[in-house]
Amino acid sequence: MTIDLTQMQPGETGTVKEIQGGQGFVRKLQSMGVRPEKKITKVSSHFWRGPQTIEVDNIQIAVGFGMAKRILVEVSR
Amino acid sequence: MNNIEKILLVGNPNVGKSAIFSRLTGAKVIISNYPGTTVEFTQGKLKLGEETAMIVDVPGTYTLEPTCKAEDVACRMVKEGGVTINIVDATNLERNLHLTLQLLEDDIPVIVALNMWDDTKHRGIYIDVKKLEEQLGVPVVPTCGLSGEGIKELIERLPQAKARSLPVSSDAQKWEKIGKIVEEVQKLTHRHHTLLEILEDLSIKPLTGLPIALGIIYCAFWVVRFIGEGLIGHIFEPLFTKLWLPLLMKIGTLLGEGSFLHHILIGNLIEGKIDFGQSFGLLTTGLYVPIAMVLPYILSFYLILGLLEDFGYLPRLAVLVDNFMHHLGLHGYAIIPFILGLGCKVPGVLATRILEERREKFIAATLLAIGVPCMAQIAMIVGLVGQRGGKYVALIFLILFLLLIIKGLVLNRFLKGTSPEILVEIPPYRIPQVTAVTKKLWMRLSGFLKEALPLVLLGVLFVNILYALRIIDFFAYIFAPVLTNLWGLPKEAISALIVGFLRKDVAVGMLGPLNLTTKQLVVGSTILSLYFPCIATYIVLIRELGIKDTLKSTFIMIAVALLVGVLLNLILI
């Protein structure tokens, strides 16, 4: 099923399907290693719509909540 | 390629570019673990046989199609040309190669430094350097910036750097190509979680991360205080009283009490004796305040800060406080200028560059300028107000902290726009290198002595002259209504406020001889922190924000200082 990044459980791994947003945002994420067909693992999510941390290729990235909402991920549940 | 004139170091953020730079040039540059410190680029020189080449540390960038100011600077520098050393994080090949491929499409000679090579081993990454070299068509040299491994080979192979001028391809094509290259040259083997990696995970999860953050901050303050007090009690205080004081006594007798020079150099004798805190001469208070009262705390603060920076803790703290900072109109990363500001506001204001939007920068710089006391100020408040009881020191910091939050809430409410979201890489924990930490500490300490000491002496001289010319009396007369009626301070406190424009530490020190009540001392110290940052900070503020925004910020400062002074005078008993 496809959910957004904020809905993933900590520890869960999924495949990025789509990044919705402006070109700048998409490109920035891409260059940090987050792009369609990449496997990402959610590390943690912070309280009260706080930043979401994910791991892509051994690197951890913190993504704001609103941005994370626009990253769609395929997970098997 | 016989004559290399200019060398560019280009790479993503956090790949150890600065470390390679300092290896190549031997220059003293700040090496940090969080992105953003090299927006201002650094350059140096490298000797290549007979020739000397200029070497430029280009700000870290993910792409040559800029998405922010720092990247824009980087792109423009690459377009200007020169032999490019592309620094690639070997532990993160895939992502780093995207920039490499972009560089290869340009008409510039490129050589690749495969940095963090030592890290690949314990991370279970194996890279076939020969194959990578074939795939890219340019030299590839494994390096380790921290140990210096591979640097010699890198320099030797510089002339082999090649311009490929590959046909321009789309992003998608590049990623596809990278996928193939990585599959070809890289093998991942199983790695076990090291202790540091377990700690990484714990400190970024909210349930464990927040207690860890509180623990670290508490310990940091405790250690800073412990080292600071230790240095004062065991080294600086004895040095001044046992060695410097007897010498000064002799100089004093030589000059003759009451003479002009005695007044300027030694100052007033308190009960016939030199009092380092109150005499107010250039050689007495002028040296004692910056060296014996402030320097020890500066040293201990920057030691701990340097360790936390190089360990890679600060970006994690930024993520943890992100939520809270949004209420102040900032995102979590703004905590870094604030933390730097606790040491000195000048680097603090400079660090607001890591914030992208003007609104954000304005809020951060304004809050920093009047809400975050610098270490010089903190040391003096602890030294002076601490004599009346620790709770009063705590009260001042509590007031300042609450004001910081209130000001942030108000600015966020009334300034147009919203605060942008955080999107940052969290670097892995690394054990700090002793040489890097001491180098940085030394730079910061000598920076303090070079910038602060002259200003402190100038401030002391200035005030002595103003006193001698009776100008202080004139100001005291004019400002007496504000000082006495609104703030409940004696009109003599004006001299402290005047010096406060120059330096905060001396200014707080000047409240000492006024025999203030505890309440007056609290009000005075708080106002000194609020009404204006020191002149050095103000200049940087103008440079960073521009005149218009700085004036707006100044207006806020004065309004807040007036208001808070009155409120405190009314509320405190």
Side-chain angles (χ1 to χ4, degrees), chain A:
Chain A
M1 61 191 278
T2 306
I3 53 175
D4 70 58
L5 185 55
T6 63
Q7 293 164 320
M8 285 175 83
Q9 298 297 320
E12 197 174 17
T13 301
T15 313
V16 179
K17 281 294 154 198
E18 192 187 340
I19 300 166
Q20 304 167 331
Q23 209 189 5
F25 173 61
V26 173
R27 194 177 281 153
K28 176 118 197 230
L29 274 176
Q30 275 191 346
S31 59
M32 291 172 103
V34 183
R35 57 174 191 277
E37 297 313 317
K38 288 286 296 225
K39 273 206 158 47
I40 61 172
T41 305
K42 171 103 152 238
V43 178
S44 67
S45 103
H46 290 257
F47 306 127
W48 300 300
R49 302 163 66 85
Q52 315 285 308
T53 41
I54 53 172
E55 193 169 307
V56 197
D57 314 320
N58 289 342
I59 280 277
Q60 289 193 356
I61 299 169
V63 187
F65 190 88
M67 289 176 171
K69 273 261 172 225
R70 294 188 267 141
I71 301 173
L72 302 184
V73 185
E74 172 80 37
V75 292
S76 51
R77 279 192 183 162

Side-chain angles (χ1 to χ4, degrees), chain B residues 347-424:
Chain B
V349 173
L350 286 176
T352 58
R353 283 183 190 161
I354 58 176
L355 306 173
E356 282 303 308
E357 307 204 359
R358 186 171 156 212
R359 174 185 191 266
E360 220 185 345
K361 249 183 105 163
F362 176 75
I363 296 178
T366 306
L367 294 186
L368 185 63
I370 52 172
V372 181
C374 67
M375 198 38 76
Q377 223 166 328
I378 296 173
M380 292 303 290
I381 291 176
V382 170
L384 193 69
V385 184
Q387 295 165 1
R388 311 284 175 98
K391 61 180 177 192
Y392 299 109
V393 178
L395 177 66
I396 292 176
F397 292 136
L398 184 70
I399 295 170
L400 290 178
F401 182 66
L402 287 178
L403 279 173
L404 178 86
I405 293 172
I406 295 170
K407 281 178 288 189
L409 290 174
V410 172
L411 285 176
N412 186 34
R413 179 83 180 69
F414 290 105
L415 288 178
K416 265 178 257 154
T418 51
S419 41
E421 291 194 82
I422 197 168
L423 176 58
V424 289

Side-chain angles (χ1 to χ4, degrees), chain B residues 458-504:
Chain B
L458 190 71
V460 172
L461 184 69
F462 185 60
V463 159
N464 276 326
I465 291 175
L466 288 187
Y467 264 116
L469 300 176
R470 303 211 156 262
I471 296 176
I472 288 272
D473 293 344
F474 173 70
F475 276 120
Y477 175 73
I478 292 186
F479 288 100
V482 175
L483 286 169
T484 6
N485 298 340
L486 294 182
W487 293 345
L489 296 175
K491 64 182 192 321
E492 288 79 19
I494 189 70
S495 53
L497 284 172
I498 291 173
V499 170
F501 283 100
L502 280 178
R503 282 294 299 178
K504 294 294 173 184

Side-chain angles (χ1 to χ4, degrees), chain B residues 14 92 96 151 154 173 226 252 273 373 402 456 517 520:
Chain B
N14 288 318
N92 216 326
N96 280 253
I151 299 293
L154 186 67
Q173 285 169 316
F226 179 77
K273 284 192 195 124
L402 287 178
V456 169
T517 64
Q520 286 174 322

Side-chain angles (χ1 to χ4, degrees), chain B residues 1-209:
Chain B
M1 281 301 313
N2 295 325
N3 222 339
I4 300 175
E5 281 176 2
K6 192 168 160 195
I7 300 164
L8 301 170
L9 293 189
V10 183
N12 289 4
N14 288 318
V15 295
K17 227 158 35 63
S18 301
I20 297 253
F21 177 78
S22 68
R23 281 281 167 193
L24 286 173
T25 60
K28 289 173 186 165
V29 287
I30 290 207
I31 311 158
S32 271
N33 222 349
Y34 55 82
T37 45
T38 42
V39 175
E40 207 169 38
F41 73 95
T42 333
Q43 59 181 13
K45 287 197 169 84
L46 170 69
K47 263 206 131 65
L48 289 167
E50 299 283 292
E51 309 285 326
T52 312
M54 185 172 73
I55 175 159
V56 182
D57 186 7
V58 177
T61 181
Y62 291 112
T63 163
L64 291 181
E65 293 144 44
T67 57
C68 72
K69 265 182 224 153
E71 292 185 348
D72 190 46
V73 174
C75 299
R76 266 186 280 153
M77 289 163 84
V78 172
K79 297 277 184 283
E80 283 166 18
V83 177
T84 301
I85 301 180
N86 175 212
I87 318 254
V88 165
D89 178 356
T91 62
N92 216 326
L93 199 56
E94 181 169 347
R95 196 180 69 175
N96 280 253
L97 282 179
H98 191 252
L99 181 67
T100 311
L101 288 190
Q102 289 184 47
L103 287 169
L104 292 181
E105 285 176 4
D106 268 346
D107 183 28
I108 42 172
V110 177
I111 177 170
V112 172
L114 209 49
N115 202 26
M116 314 246 182
W117 187 245
D118 54 331
D119 260 12
T120 56
K121 285 159 205 157
H122 79 250
R123 283 177 178 264
I125 301 168
Y126 172 78
I127 297 172
D128 190 330
V129 181
K130 267 260 151 55
K131 267 189 190 158
L132 184 60
E133 210 171 285
E134 281 166 24
Q135 292 278 350
L136 296 176
V138 296
V140 177
V141 183
T143 57
C144 174
L146 288 173
S147 70
E149 184 191 333
I151 299 293
K152 211 174 138 216
E153 195 191 341
L154 186 67
I155 296 174
E156 280 167 4
R157 293 188 67 182
L158 262 183
Q160 298 170 19
K162 250 201 283 198
R164 293 287 315 271
S165 308
L166 293 177
V168 176
S169 59
S170 73
D171 260 11
Q173 285 169 316
K174 280 198 195 83
W175 288 122
E176 198 183 323
K177 191 170 172 187
I178 291 166
K180 279 185 195 142
I181 296 177
V182 170
E183 201 173 314
E184 178 93 356
V185 304
Q186 178 177 280
K187 278 192 188 70
L188 298 177
T189 52
H190 177 73
R191 60 172 182 143
H192 13 238
H193 256 43
T194 62
L195 191 64
L196 275 183
E197 278 159 345
I198 294 169
L199 202 61
E200 274 170 21
D201 281 356
L202 286 178
S203 55
I204 201 69
K205 290 186 174 142
L207 278 179
T208 42

